[in-house]
């Protein structure tokens, strides 16, 4: 797998979150969160358990309603656009690892990922399937296997592959490394970089801050529902307070 970052150029912000606040009943999960994701880049949100990372991602992808603030995708306000419409418009979140359809085969799951497309069975569709199988050879080998019998790592790959079948211009990933063995974590991050090098902008939410900061062009730190720091991945990885709080001296 290539190490792609050098060939890329980052564009204007493709996704922008402005002063976003989200509640669960009376519980304020995130408050006045603002950040942006550059076109062609990888952005990451890092933070401890309960910081609001998943809530932020789910809200962007239309699965939670907003109390205040707005979300702009390629300049258009998508704050209240439902999830399936966002997928059609090119913004898609990979479900968390176990979000695959367990009784369906790998191929059927990938097919479900393309449900919003009108060109299924076309050459373009087959090319996208080949792209997913190129990124995840394991899925090609296991194409007839029921998703529910795949390992955690394989299901994580399938969840990402399924999202890619909708041809997103921006891919949202919620903790793709969660629960995986170290070797597989490295592999998943390499695949994320490869997906980005192939032209997909990525917003990555991670508890694995060390890997996330190594991978991301821009990074935001969430603490108890607000953004407390931001910078390039390299800047934050080199910052003593970030290292102490999130990296355990491990970058
Ligand atoms: P983790 O890394 O542990 O997944 P996170 O950063 O993704 O954490 P969120 O899952 O977004 O954090 O949670 C943010 C806050 O919102 C937490 O205080 C959490 O308890 C609360 N919360 C999340 N989901 C719900 C829910 N369905 N009902 C009530 N509170 C919720």
């Amino acid at each position: 797998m290539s190490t792609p970052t050098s060939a890329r150029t980052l564009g204007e912000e493709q996704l922008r979150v402005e002063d976003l606040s989200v509640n669960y009943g009376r519980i304020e999960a995130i408050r006045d969160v603002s950040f942006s994701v550059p076109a062609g880049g990888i952005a990451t949100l890092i933070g401890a358990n309960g910081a609001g990372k998943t809530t932020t991602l789910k809200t962007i992808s239309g699965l939670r309603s907003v109390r205040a603030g707005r979300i702009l995708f390629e300049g258009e306000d998508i704050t209240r656009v439902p999830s399936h419409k966002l997928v059609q418009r090119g913004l898609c979140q990979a479900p968390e690892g176990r979000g695959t359809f367990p009784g369906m085969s790998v191929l059927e799951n990938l097919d479900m990922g393309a449900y919003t497309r009108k060109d299924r069975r076309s050459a373009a569709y087959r090319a996208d399937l080949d792209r997913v199988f190129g990124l995840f050879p394991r899925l090609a080998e296991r194409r007839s296997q029921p998703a529910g019998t795949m390992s955690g790592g394989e299901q994580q790959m399938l969840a990402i592959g399924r999202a890619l079948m909708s041809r997103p211009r921006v891919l949202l990933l919620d903790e793709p490394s969660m629960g995986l063995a170290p070797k597989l974590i490295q592999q998943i991050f390499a695949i994320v970089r490869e997906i980005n090098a192939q032209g997909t902008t990525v917003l990555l939410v991670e508890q694995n801050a060390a890997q996330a900061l190594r991978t991301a062009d821009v990074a935001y730190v969430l603490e108890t529902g607000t953004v407390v720091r931001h910078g390039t991945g390299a800047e934050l990885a080199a910052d003593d307070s970030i290292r102490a709080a999130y990296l355990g001296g491990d970058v």
Side-chain angles (χ1 to χ4, degrees):
M1 194 152 296
S2 61
T3 355
T5 32
S6 54
R8 300 169 317 135
T9 43
L10 302 186
E12 297 288 301
E13 56 191 20
Q14 194 168 8
L15 184 66
R16 181 179 169 84
V17 169
E18 288 179 354
D19 301 320
L20 198 64
S21 298
V22 175
N23 275 37
Y24 294 102
R26 289 168 57 197
I27 298 170
E28 194 173 51
I30 57 170
R31 187 177 63 259
D32 293 334
V33 166
S34 298
F35 63 90
S36 59
V37 181
I42 301 178
T44 191
L45 294 180
I46 60 168
N49 284 119
K53 306 181 297 297
T54 297
T55 300
T56 305
L57 219 56
K58 280 191 171 159
T59 308
I60 295 170
S61 57
L63 299 169
R64 301 275 347 160
S65 49
V66 169
R67 183 172 65 73
R70 58 179 199 155
I71 305 161
L72 301 173
F73 174 49
E74 297 175 346
E76 289 182 37
D77 190 332
I78 56 157
T79 313
R80 285 178 179 79
V81 178
S83 186
H84 67 281
K85 295 264 189 229
L86 291 176
V87 175
Q88 284 169 353
R89 283 163 76 160
L91 181 79
C92 183
Q93 178 176 347
E96 286 170 64
R98 310 277 185 237
T100 53
F101 300 107
M104 290 184 173
S105 71
V106 166
L107 200 54
E108 286 164 344
N109 266 276
L110 293 174
D111 209 31
M112 290 299 287
Y115 75 101
T116 57
R117 290 174 61 165
K118 298 193 169 55
D119 67 344
R120 285 152 96 178
R121 312 287 161 242
S122 69
Y125 175 85
R126 281 193 299 277
D128 288 339
L129 202 53
D130 286 344
R131 176 191 176 205
V132 170
F133 286 153
L135 286 164
F136 302 106
R138 179 65 61 89
L139 297 184
E141 288 163 20
R142 306 291 176 94
R143 66 182 77 195
S144 307
Q145 184 172 328
T149 65
M150 307 268 283
S151 74
E154 289 166 349
Q155 289 191 39
Q156 192 64 269
M157 292 174 184
L158 180 56
I160 299 172
R162 195 174 96 194
L164 288 175
M165 289 306 291
S166 71
R167 299 195 130 208
R169 293 191 298 287
V170 175
L171 177 66
L172 310 178
L173 292 173
D174 191 359
E175 304 212 21
S177 76
M178 187 157 67
L180 302 184
K183 202 171 155 200
L184 208 50
I185 292 177
Q186 299 278 356
Q187 203 182 331
I188 286 278
F189 276 96
I191 288 166
V192 170
R193 286 193 289 271
E194 180 68 20
I195 289 168
N196 175 247
Q198 291 177 1
T200 308
T201 302
V202 175
L203 173 59
L204 174 71
V205 153
E206 262 298 335
Q207 266 196 60
N208 188 332
Q211 282 284 357
L213 293 179
R214 258 187 231 129
T215 302
D217 301 292
V218 290
Y220 296 82
V221 181
L222 270 183
E223 267 177 27
T224 55
T226 52
V227 174
V228 292
R229 289 289 306 276
H230 72 276
T232 66
E235 278 164 5
L236 294 194
D239 182 283
D240 285 343
S241 61
I242 300 289
R243 291 171 72 94
Y246 297 101
L247 304 175
D250 153 28
V251 148

